[in-house]
Amino acid sequence: MSELLYSREVQNQCKVKKGCDHGPAPIPEEGKWIQAKQISDISAYTHGVGWCAPQQGACKLSLNVKNGIIEEALVETIGCSGMTHSAAMAAEILPGKTILEALNTDLVCDAINTAMRELFLQIVYGRSQSAFSEGGLVIGAGLEDLGKGERSMVGTMYGTKEKGVRYLEMTEGYCTRMALDENNEVIGYEFVSLGKMTDFIKKGMEPNEAYKKATGHYGRFAPEDGAVRYIDPRKE
């Protein structure tokens, strides 16, 4: 380290001894109270959301940090086609970096960079999902968040004053039909779980059979439950 330079005014000052020095306030980390003084003192699992400058897309970033090192990263994006490719790069770049390195790494997309900034703040202030979980969460917790099909939970709804609402995508999957009652109000919907359908096809099942097996309903969908009309939300 180079020698510190002091201005003449500081050089001419008399020295006053420092009083109390109790260190940083402890933060909760994986079931312990830690006085974090360096990057390696940080362990946490948490989520955060970032957005790009024109706010046309968003990124949900999940990180599992152990001793200051990112051991696991889950990058989920929506609203921007280019962001999905940036996410592919970020998921490769982030693991193995310290959280300080990651904060100062170009993750290509503004939304992913912003998400990293938001996560950094949560982590270093002890606001994490694993703050009070003894030992923290195992590496692989990100995949568990995605569920059995390992697909992001996405909701896509569209509506106009003139024509009303259209359900396009639910957590369960791609919405194929909406059920309406006698007042033309939505009372249920049909969906296809694309993840399940793809898995069935990969195992050798015929596509039409896989489609039917992956189809489900929610709400009052059957005629005996009050459904008098079904519409395709993308065509009707």
Side-chain angles (χ1 to χ4, degrees):
M1 181 182 293
S2 59
E3 183 181 354
L4 298 178
L5 300 177
Y6 295 90
S7 68
R8 183 171 297 278
E9 290 78 9
V10 172
Q11 291 180 35
N12 291 333
Q13 290 177 347
C14 64
K15 188 167 185 176
V16 177
K17 187 176 180 180
K18 187 175 183 178
C20 61
D21 183 11
H22 50 67
I27 60 174
E29 291 186 31
E30 301 190 342
K32 299 178 181 179
W33 289 98
I34 303 294
Q35 282 189 305
K37 299 181 180 180
Q38 52 193 5
I39 295 298
S40 59
D41 292 332
I42 300 293
S43 294
Y45 181 87
T46 196
H47 317 273
V49 175
W51 52 95
C52 56
Q55 298 188 15
Q56 68 183 30
C59 166
K60 178 189 174 187
L61 181 61
S62 304
L63 297 180
N64 201 343
V65 180
K66 302 291 185 183
N67 302 315
I69 305 294
I70 296 172
E71 297 288 347
E72 175 186 20
L74 171 64
V75 190
E76 300 173 87
T77 64
I78 190 169
C80 173
S81 58
M83 196 191 304
T84 62
H85 297 83
S86 299
M89 297 178 69
E92 184 174 357
I93 292 169
L94 287 170
K97 288 188 176 293
T98 69
I99 55 173
L100 185 59
E101 285 179 307
L103 182 65
N104 290 286
T105 295
D106 182 6
L107 300 175
V108 186
C109 168
D110 281 349
I112 303 176
N113 282 313
T114 303
M116 184 62 230
R117 180 194 71 197
E118 296 301 306
L119 257 70
F120 183 87
L121 294 175
Q122 291 181 34
I123 292 169
V124 298
Y125 283 117
R127 274 70 167 178
S128 70
Q129 182 178 325
S130 60
F132 299 101
S133 301
E134 187 173 353
L137 300 183
V138 299
I139 312 302
L143 284 181
E144 292 176 4
D145 281 348
L146 291 177
K148 291 182 179 179
E150 295 182 1
R151 300 185 77 239
S152 297
M153 289 176 278
V154 178
T156 307
M157 311 297 158
Y158 178 76
T160 61
K161 179 181 177 182
E162 178 68 23
K163 299 296 184 179
V165 70
R166 297 295 186 276
Y167 297 174
L168 302 174
E169 189 93 19
M170 287 281 191
T171 295
E172 299 96 329
Y174 178 96
C175 294
T176 53
R177 290 191 295 167
M178 296 167 57
L180 309 181
D181 65 10
E182 58 185 6
N183 297 318
N184 270 353
E185 294 181 2
V186 183
I187 59 173
Y189 57 88
E190 177 184 70
F191 62 87
V192 176
S193 174
L194 299 179
K196 289 182 179 179
M197 184 178 76
T198 303
D199 287 340
F200 291 148
I201 294 172
K202 286 194 297 185
K203 292 177 181 178
M205 187 179 292
E206 289 298 317
N208 286 338
E209 183 183 355
Y211 178 86
K212 292 178 182 178
K213 190 172 182 179
T215 298
H217 309 102
Y218 187 84
R220 295 188 290 128
F221 193 80
E224 57 267 28
D225 293 328
V228 299
R229 183 184 178 192
Y230 301 98
I231 64 170
D232 183 331
R234 291 170 174 80
K235 294 183 179 180
E236 298 176 75

